[in-house]
Amino acid sequence: MRMKLKKIRDNYIEGIKNTAEKVWNSLRKYALPISFAAVFYSIMYLFGNRTICVSKATFGVPCPGCGMTRSFKSLIKGDIHSAFYYHPLFILVILAAFVILFRNTGSISKIYKSAVTWISLLIVFISVWVVRMIQMFPDKPPIDYNIYGLFPVIYRFIRNII
C-alpha cells in the first residue's frame, strides 16, 4: 500500500515538474516580445498615447481592425447600433472564431482549410477599412488620427528642430 501511495505521489510531483518546465519554457520564449511591447506601450503612454492599436500607436493611422474592441464592448452592453458604428465587421470576427474553434468538424474543416475563405475575409476587411478611412479619417473616432503616435511625434520633433 505504501509503495502505491509513493508511486502516486512521485507521479504527481513529476507531473507538476513537467508542467512547471513547460510554463517556464513558454515564458522564456515569449519574454522578449512581451518585454518589448511593455516598454513600447509605457513609452507611448508617457507621450500621451492612449491606444492599444499597434498601428495607431506607431504610425498614428488606424488599422483595419480599429474600433473592434469598442464594437465588442457595445455588443456586450446590448447596443447593436454602436457596435456596427465602431466596426461593421465584428460579426465576421465571431464567425471566424467559430470556424477556428470547430476547424476539425465536417464541413467547417473545408471552410477552415480554404484559402479562398481567408483571402476573401482579408479583402473584405481591407475594403471596409478603405471606405471607413474615406468617410471618417482624420477626425471621427475610431478612425481618427493619433497625434501622439510614435512617427507623428518624431516628425513634429524633427520639424521643430529644422
Side-chain angles (χ1 to χ4, degrees):
M1 184 71 167
R2 277 189 191 194
M3 292 300 281
K4 281 187 178 183
L5 289 175
K6 186 174 188 237
K7 189 173 184 178
I8 291 171
R9 184 193 70 196
D10 291 345
N11 287 341
Y12 180 74
I13 290 172
E14 190 64 33
I16 290 174
K17 285 180 183 178
N18 289 340
T19 303
E21 188 174 324
K22 287 178 186 177
V23 168
W24 177 250
N25 288 337
S26 293
L27 286 174
R28 286 192 317 181
K29 182 178 179 181
Y30 297 112
L32 187 61
I34 289 171
S35 299
F36 176 78
V39 168
F40 175 77
Y41 279 109
S42 297
I43 291 170
M44 297 282 63
Y45 190 83
L46 292 175
F47 282 106
N49 198 341
R50 304 294 188 260
T51 181
I52 60 170
C53 176
V54 175
S55 174
K56 211 171 190 180
T58 305
F59 305 110
V61 179
C63 70
C66 269
M68 197 63 73
T69 302
R70 285 185 259 188
S71 180
F72 281 113
K73 285 170 83 174
S74 295
L75 181 66
I76 289 169
K77 291 177 183 175
D79 188 359
I80 305 295
H81 183 267
S82 292
F84 273 105
Y85 172 78
Y86 286 124
H87 205 295
L89 300 180
F90 71 92
I91 293 174
L92 288 181
V93 173
I94 294 169
L95 292 175
F98 179 78
V99 167
I100 291 169
L101 191 62
F102 296 104
R103 66 181 171 264
N104 296 326
T105 308
S107 60
I108 294 178
S109 70
K110 291 177 186 174
I111 295 170
Y112 176 77
K113 292 176 183 175
S114 171
V116 174
T117 300
W118 301 110
I119 291 170
S120 300
L121 192 64
L122 180 66
I123 290 170
V124 167
F125 260 87
I126 291 174
S127 300
V128 168
W129 176 67
V130 169
V131 169
R132 292 175 80 207
M133 287 291 282
I134 291 169
Q135 291 178 342
M136 300 172 138
F137 192 75
D139 56 355
K140 287 186 183 174
I143 309 297
D144 53 343
Y145 182 69
N146 181 11
I147 62 171
Y148 300 109
L150 180 63
F151 284 7
V153 167
I154 291 171
Y155 172 75
R156 283 194 310 275
F157 177 74
I158 291 171
R159 192 179 68 193
N160 289 335
I161 291 175
I162 296 175

